[in-house]
Amino acid sequence: MHKLFLPLLVIVGSLFVFPSQAQTLHLLEQRAQGNTETNFPQPQLLPQSAVAWSIPIGLVATGTVLLNRLGWFDLNLSVRDHLQYRKYRARYVDDVLQFAPMAGAIGLDLYEAGQHKNWRPFLESTSSIALMVVLVHSIKFLHIELRPDNSTWNSFPSGHTATAFVGAELLRQKLPANYWYIGAIGYAAAATTAYLRIYHNRHWLGDTLAGAGIGILSALVGTALTRMYFQKK
């Protein structure tokens, strides 16, 4: 991972110091210990920590400020060049890697559904993913930013990055604290996806920062709204 993405890893890594919003593996451990009750956390629209909430908002805000139309073209160009852009090297890795964290989260959901007929975690994930898709493509439709390769005007925000980070955050939520390293791997895959989007000349730095923030926000809000819905039933 390139040194310019170390701050991004540090920022999103701080999410791991907060209590997991634990679902699948934690519930399995409870049942293994003889606790048959499913004790989900009380639904909350906002994360318990203001710091955790500020991370995705800060990423979106920073990405928006870095739009070329706001006078940051020279900076964005220098960042892209510094990341050693090569047109055809590892061209399609990011197209596949973006789905890796999501696959892990959905896999845990399906295991829970198959073993215990509990579909709530799966619905939390699908609602979060749906929210991410709606947000990303609604903004892309506004044609705010031209791609670095001058192909289209839907560069902002990065859909690949948002997909990777919504999956990484969903995976983190479903894991208890002692499985933190699996969540860290998910976030590393997401950060690598963001890096490759710049490396392959498909996105500017701000596009990927905003995409990361939208992905994390979608996971937090989608999960919370789904829990609120089931709580009211």
Side-chain angles (χ1 to χ4, degrees):
M1 182 59 58
H2 197 278
K3 64 182 180 180
L4 285 181
F5 270 79
L6 288 177
L8 177 60
L9 286 173
V10 171
I11 291 172
V12 298
S14 64
L15 287 165
F16 291 93
V17 305
F18 304 112
S20 170
Q21 297 176 350
Q23 291 348 297
T24 307
L25 292 181
H26 180 60
L27 293 175
L28 293 176
E29 289 179 352
Q30 284 185 326
R31 291 192 180 98
Q33 296 170 2
N35 182 4
T36 58
E37 295 183 0
T38 302
N39 298 318
F40 285 94
Q42 291 298 314
Q44 296 182 1
L45 182 58
L46 302 181
Q48 294 181 354
S49 169
V51 176
W53 181 250
S54 68
I55 290 172
I57 292 179
L59 289 170
V60 174
T62 302
T64 303
V65 169
L66 289 176
L67 286 168
N68 286 324
R69 65 179 60 208
L70 298 181
W72 296 100
F73 179 74
D74 290 339
L75 173 63
N76 285 323
L77 192 62
S78 66
V79 169
R80 194 283 308 274
D81 292 342
H82 193 63
L83 293 184
Q84 299 178 347
Y85 160 61
R86 300 291 184 273
K87 187 173 183 181
Y88 296 111
R89 184 177 298 176
R91 178 63 186 87
Y92 300 107
V93 172
D94 43 334
D95 292 336
V96 177
L97 188 61
Q98 63 173 320
F99 297 110
M102 185 183 297
I106 296 296
L108 290 174
D109 295 339
L110 294 178
Y111 179 82
E112 172 71 4
Q115 291 293 314
H116 305 286
K117 309 301 180 184
N118 177 20
W119 286 94
R120 185 188 294 189
F122 178 76
L123 293 175
E124 291 173 359
S125 294
T126 53
S127 62
S128 298
I129 295 167
L131 177 60
M132 179 273 297
V133 171
V134 170
L135 289 174
V136 167
H137 289 281
S138 295
I139 300 173
K140 280 181 174 290
F141 183 75
L142 299 176
H143 295 169
I144 295 175
E145 187 81 296
L146 180 66
R147 289 185 183 270
D149 60 5
N150 297 322
S151 59
T152 59
W153 276 89
N154 64 350
S155 187
F156 183 88
S158 170
H160 282 63
T161 305
T163 299
F165 274 88
V166 71
E169 176 57 20
L170 287 171
L171 182 62
R172 185 195 73 85
Q173 290 179 8
K174 299 172 191 300
L175 296 167
N178 55 318
Y179 288 92
W180 65 268
Y181 53 90
I182 299 178
I185 292 173
Y187 264 98
T192 301
T193 300
Y195 165 72
L196 289 174
R197 296 309 286 166
I198 302 175
Y199 183 84
H200 290 142
N201 205 34
R202 295 294 289 165
H203 283 289
W204 305 104
L205 174 62
D207 302 337
T208 61
L209 293 176
I214 290 173
I216 297 171
L217 279 173
S218 297
L220 293 172
V221 175
T223 297
L225 291 178
T226 303
R227 292 179 190 169
M228 291 175 68
Y229 171 78
F230 279 101
Q231 185 73 11
K232 292 179 180 179
K233 292 187 66 176

